[in-house]
PDB file of all heavy atoms in Angstrom:
ATOM      1  N   THR B  32      17.692   1.371 -10.481  1.00 98.00           N
ATOM      2  CA  THR B  32      18.508   2.346 -11.179  1.00 98.00           C
ATOM      3  C   THR B  32      17.638   3.480 -11.579  1.00 98.00           C
ATOM      4  O   THR B  32      16.455   3.501 -11.404  1.00 98.00           O
ATOM      5  CB  THR B  32      18.915   1.737 -12.599  1.00 98.00           C
ATOM      6  OG1 THR B  32      17.840   1.361 -13.345  1.00 98.00           O
ATOM      7  CG2 THR B  32      19.687   0.333 -12.286  1.00 98.00           C
ATOM      8  N   THR B  34      16.880   4.446 -14.510  1.00 98.00           N
ATOM      9  CA  THR B  34      15.875   4.098 -15.530  1.00 98.00           C
ATOM     10  C   THR B  34      14.769   3.241 -14.893  1.00 98.00           C
ATOM     11  O   THR B  34      13.559   3.582 -15.277  1.00 98.00           O
ATOM     12  CB  THR B  34      16.636   3.133 -16.629  1.00 98.00           C
ATOM     13  OG1 THR B  34      17.666   3.931 -17.051  1.00 98.00           O
ATOM     14  CG2 THR B  34      15.733   2.804 -17.762  1.00 98.00           C
ATOM     15  N   ARG B  44      13.815   9.958 -16.689  1.00 98.00           N
ATOM     16  CA  ARG B  44      15.032   9.346 -16.129  1.00 98.00           C
ATOM     17  C   ARG B  44      16.016  10.461 -15.666  1.00 98.00           C
ATOM     18  O   ARG B  44      16.619  10.288 -14.513  1.00 98.00           O
ATOM     19  CB  ARG B  44      15.672   8.453 -17.318  1.00 98.00           C
ATOM     20  CG  ARG B  44      17.171   7.925 -16.802  1.00 98.00           C
ATOM     21  CD  ARG B  44      17.795   7.206 -17.849  1.00 98.00           C
ATOM     22  NE  ARG B  44      18.114   8.049 -18.939  1.00 98.00           N
ATOM     23  CZ  ARG B  44      19.236   8.802 -19.157  1.00 98.00           C
ATOM     24  NH1 ARG B  44      20.086   8.927 -18.185  1.00 98.00           N
ATOM     25  NH2 ARG B  44      19.453   9.484 -20.085  1.00 98.00           N
ATOM     26  N   ARG B  67      27.034  -1.629 -17.206  1.00 95.00           N
ATOM     27  CA  ARG B  67      26.586  -0.367 -17.605  1.00 95.00           C
ATOM     28  C   ARG B  67      25.564   0.156 -16.758  1.00 95.00           C
ATOM     29  O   ARG B  67      24.891   1.244 -17.068  1.00 95.00           O
ATOM     30  CB  ARG B  67      26.006  -0.494 -19.056  1.00 95.00           C
ATOM     31  CG  ARG B  67      24.759  -1.334 -19.293  1.00 95.00           C
ATOM     32  CD  ARG B  67      24.317  -1.454 -20.592  1.00 95.00           C
ATOM     33  NE  ARG B  67      23.419  -2.598 -20.923  1.00 95.00           N
ATOM     34  CZ  ARG B  67      23.021  -2.970 -21.895  1.00 95.00           C
ATOM     35  NH1 ARG B  67      23.289  -2.251 -23.174  1.00 95.00           N
ATOM     36  NH2 ARG B  67      22.066  -3.947 -22.156  1.00 95.00           N
ATOM     37  N   ARG B  69      23.972   1.525 -12.858  1.00 98.00           N
ATOM     38  CA  ARG B  69      24.310   2.093 -11.709  1.00 98.00           C
ATOM     39  C   ARG B  69      23.166   1.818 -10.736  1.00 98.00           C
ATOM     40  O   ARG B  69      22.062   2.504 -10.765  1.00 98.00           O
ATOM     41  CB  ARG B  69      24.511   3.652 -12.011  1.00 98.00           C
ATOM     42  CG  ARG B  69      25.125   4.404 -10.834  1.00 98.00           C
ATOM     43  CD  ARG B  69      26.323   5.244 -11.325  1.00 98.00           C
ATOM     44  NE  ARG B  69      27.486   4.928 -10.688  1.00 98.00           N
ATOM     45  CZ  ARG B  69      27.870   5.547  -9.691  1.00 98.00           C
ATOM     46  NH1 ARG B  69      27.254   6.569  -9.140  1.00 98.00           N
ATOM     47  NH2 ARG B  69      29.035   5.189  -9.013  1.00 98.00           N
TER      48      ARG B  69
ATOM     49  P    DA C   5      17.922  -1.143 -33.180  1.00 84.03           P
ATOM     50  OP1  DA C   5      16.668  -1.645 -33.627  1.00 84.03           O
ATOM     51  OP2  DA C   5      18.330   0.331 -33.371  1.00 84.03           O
ATOM     52  O5'  DA C   5      18.204  -1.530 -31.681  1.00 84.03           O
ATOM     53  C5'  DA C   5      18.278  -2.879 -31.184  1.00 84.03           C
ATOM     54  C4'  DA C   5      18.522  -2.799 -29.730  1.00 84.03           C
ATOM     55  O4'  DA C   5      19.916  -2.654 -29.440  1.00 84.03           O
ATOM     56  C3'  DA C   5      17.730  -1.880 -28.872  1.00 84.03           C
ATOM     57  O3'  DA C   5      17.332  -2.463 -27.742  1.00 84.03           O
ATOM     58  C2'  DA C   5      18.751  -0.747 -28.572  1.00 84.03           C
ATOM     59  C1'  DA C   5      20.085  -1.676 -28.479  1.00 84.03           C
ATOM     60  N9   DA C   5      21.280  -0.869 -28.785  1.00 84.03           N
ATOM     61  C8   DA C   5      21.528   0.017 -29.807  1.00 84.03           C
ATOM     62  N7   DA C   5      22.730   0.429 -29.836  1.00 84.03           N
ATOM     63  C5   DA C   5      23.240  -0.113 -28.635  1.00 84.03           C
ATOM     64  C6   DA C   5      24.710  -0.096 -28.113  1.00 84.03           C
ATOM     65  N6   DA C   5      25.692   0.742 -28.683  1.00 84.03           N
ATOM     66  N1   DA C   5      24.922  -0.748 -27.140  1.00 84.03           N
ATOM     67  C2   DA C   5      23.976  -1.485 -26.576  1.00 84.03           C
ATOM     68  N3   DA C   5      22.741  -1.737 -26.868  1.00 84.03           N
ATOM     69  C4   DA C   5      22.498  -0.989 -28.056  1.00 84.03           C
ATOM     70  P    DC C   6      16.256  -1.745 -26.661  1.00 84.03           P
ATOM     71  OP1  DC C   6      15.170  -2.688 -26.383  1.00 84.03           O
ATOM     72  OP2  DC C   6      15.922  -0.439 -27.391  1.00 84.03           O
ATOM     73  O5'  DC C   6      17.226  -1.382 -25.487  1.00 84.03           O
ATOM     74  C5'  DC C   6      17.955  -2.501 -24.830  1.00 84.03           C
ATOM     75  C4'  DC C   6      18.905  -1.860 -23.851  1.00 84.03           C
ATOM     76  O4'  DC C   6      19.935  -1.313 -24.716  1.00 84.03           O
ATOM     77  C3'  DC C   6      18.358  -0.867 -22.862  1.00 84.03           C
ATOM     78  O3'  DC C   6      18.529  -1.262 -21.671  1.00 84.03           O
ATOM     79  C2'  DC C   6      19.180   0.300 -23.317  1.00 84.03           C
ATOM     80  C1'  DC C   6      20.493  -0.071 -24.003  1.00 84.03           C
ATOM     81  N1   DC C   6      21.050   0.734 -24.884  1.00 84.03           N
ATOM     82  C2   DC C   6      22.529   1.011 -24.692  1.00 84.03           C
ATOM     83  O2   DC C   6      23.037   0.576 -23.707  1.00 84.03           O
ATOM     84  N3   DC C   6      23.146   1.936 -25.550  1.00 84.03           N
ATOM     85  C4   DC C   6      22.542   2.389 -26.566  1.00 84.03           C
ATOM     86  N4   DC C   6      23.099   3.201 -27.429  1.00 84.03           N
ATOM     87  C5   DC C   6      21.018   2.034 -26.890  1.00 84.03           C
ATOM     88  C6   DC C   6      20.480   1.294 -26.008  1.00 84.03           C
ATOM     89  P    DC C   8      20.946   3.243 -15.799  1.00 84.03           P
ATOM     90  OP1  DC C   8      21.006   2.681 -14.464  1.00 84.03           O
ATOM     91  OP2  DC C   8      19.472   3.809 -16.191  1.00 84.03           O
ATOM     92  O5'  DC C   8      21.857   4.356 -16.174  1.00 84.03           O
ATOM     93  C5'  DC C   8      23.262   3.904 -16.229  1.00 84.03           C
ATOM     94  C4'  DC C   8      24.135   5.025 -16.742  1.00 84.03           C
ATOM     95  O4'  DC C   8      23.781   5.176 -18.009  1.00 84.03           O
ATOM     96  C3'  DC C   8      23.881   6.356 -16.105  1.00 84.03           C
ATOM     97  O3'  DC C   8      24.917   6.665 -15.265  1.00 84.03           O
ATOM     98  C2'  DC C   8      23.818   7.407 -17.281  1.00 84.03           C
ATOM     99  C1'  DC C   8      24.083   6.569 -18.508  1.00 84.03           C
ATOM    100  N1   DC C   8      23.253   6.776 -19.602  1.00 84.03           N
ATOM    101  C2   DC C   8      23.849   7.448 -20.739  1.00 84.03           C
ATOM    102  O2   DC C   8      24.868   7.820 -20.740  1.00 84.03           O
ATOM    103  N3   DC C   8      22.942   7.751 -21.766  1.00 84.03           N
ATOM    104  C4   DC C   8      21.642   7.557 -21.788  1.00 84.03           C
ATOM    105  N4   DC C   8      20.929   7.720 -22.788  1.00 84.03           N
ATOM    106  C5   DC C   8      21.086   6.862 -20.607  1.00 84.03           C
ATOM    107  C6   DC C   8      21.926   6.610 -19.552  1.00 84.03           C
ATOM    108  P    DG C   9      24.922   8.016 -14.380  1.00 84.03           P
ATOM    109  OP1  DG C   9      25.752   7.780 -13.143  1.00 84.03           O
ATOM    110  OP2  DG C   9      23.533   8.403 -14.125  1.00 84.03           O
ATOM    111  O5'  DG C   9      25.601   9.186 -15.279  1.00 84.03           O
ATOM    112  C5'  DG C   9      26.923   8.902 -15.755  1.00 84.03           C
ATOM    113  C4'  DG C   9      27.397  10.112 -16.617  1.00 84.03           C
ATOM    114  O4'  DG C   9      26.617  10.049 -17.878  1.00 84.03           O
ATOM    115  C3'  DG C   9      27.242  11.463 -15.998  1.00 84.03           C
ATOM    116  O3'  DG C   9      28.357  12.200 -16.172  1.00 84.03           O
ATOM    117  C2'  DG C   9      26.047  12.000 -16.747  1.00 84.03           C
ATOM    118  C1'  DG C   9      26.057  11.339 -18.098  1.00 84.03           C
ATOM    119  N9   DG C   9      24.796  11.134 -18.729  1.00 84.03           N
ATOM    120  C8   DG C   9      23.678  10.576 -18.118  1.00 84.03           C
ATOM    121  N7   DG C   9      22.564  10.475 -18.887  1.00 84.03           N
ATOM    122  C5   DG C   9      23.096  11.035 -20.121  1.00 84.03           C
ATOM    123  C6   DG C   9      22.318  11.192 -21.419  1.00 84.03           C
ATOM    124  O6   DG C   9      21.259  10.905 -21.708  1.00 84.03           O
ATOM    125  N1   DG C   9      23.213  11.799 -22.298  1.00 84.03           N
ATOM    126  C2   DG C   9      24.644  12.216 -22.112  1.00 84.03           C
ATOM    127  N2   DG C   9      25.204  12.699 -23.126  1.00 84.03           N
ATOM    128  N3   DG C   9      25.304  11.930 -20.921  1.00 84.03           N
ATOM    129  C4   DG C   9      24.431  11.474 -19.921  1.00 84.03           C
ATOM    130  P    DC C  10      28.431  13.661 -15.537  1.00 84.03           P
ATOM    131  OP1  DC C  10      29.900  13.860 -15.105  1.00 84.03           O
ATOM    132  OP2  DC C  10      27.355  13.947 -14.569  1.00 84.03           O
ATOM    133  O5'  DC C  10      28.221  14.590 -16.702  1.00 84.03           O
ATOM    134  C5'  DC C  10      28.917  14.508 -18.021  1.00 84.03           C
ATOM    135  C4'  DC C  10      28.430  15.385 -19.048  1.00 84.03           C
ATOM    136  O4'  DC C  10      27.223  14.878 -19.636  1.00 84.03           O
ATOM    137  C3'  DC C  10      28.109  16.830 -18.612  1.00 84.03           C
ATOM    138  O3'  DC C  10      28.800  17.766 -19.332  1.00 84.03           O
ATOM    139  C2'  DC C  10      26.602  17.026 -18.623  1.00 84.03           C
ATOM    140  C1'  DC C  10      26.314  15.991 -19.720  1.00 84.03           C
ATOM    141  N1   DC C  10      24.966  15.365 -19.565  1.00 84.03           N
ATOM    142  C2   DC C  10      24.130  15.435 -20.698  1.00 84.03           C
ATOM    143  O2   DC C  10      24.426  15.995 -21.771  1.00 84.03           O
ATOM    144  N3   DC C  10      22.845  14.779 -20.701  1.00 84.03           N
ATOM    145  C4   DC C  10      22.508  14.327 -19.451  1.00 84.03           C
ATOM    146  N4   DC C  10      21.181  13.832 -19.547  1.00 84.03           N
ATOM    147  C5   DC C  10      23.358  14.198 -18.373  1.00 84.03           C
ATOM    148  C6   DC C  10      24.573  14.738 -18.558  1.00 84.03           C
TER     149       DC C  10
END
Side-chain angles (χ1 to χ4, degrees):
Chain B
T32 66
T34 302
R44 172 185 63 85
R67 66 179 161 187
R69 191 129 239 267

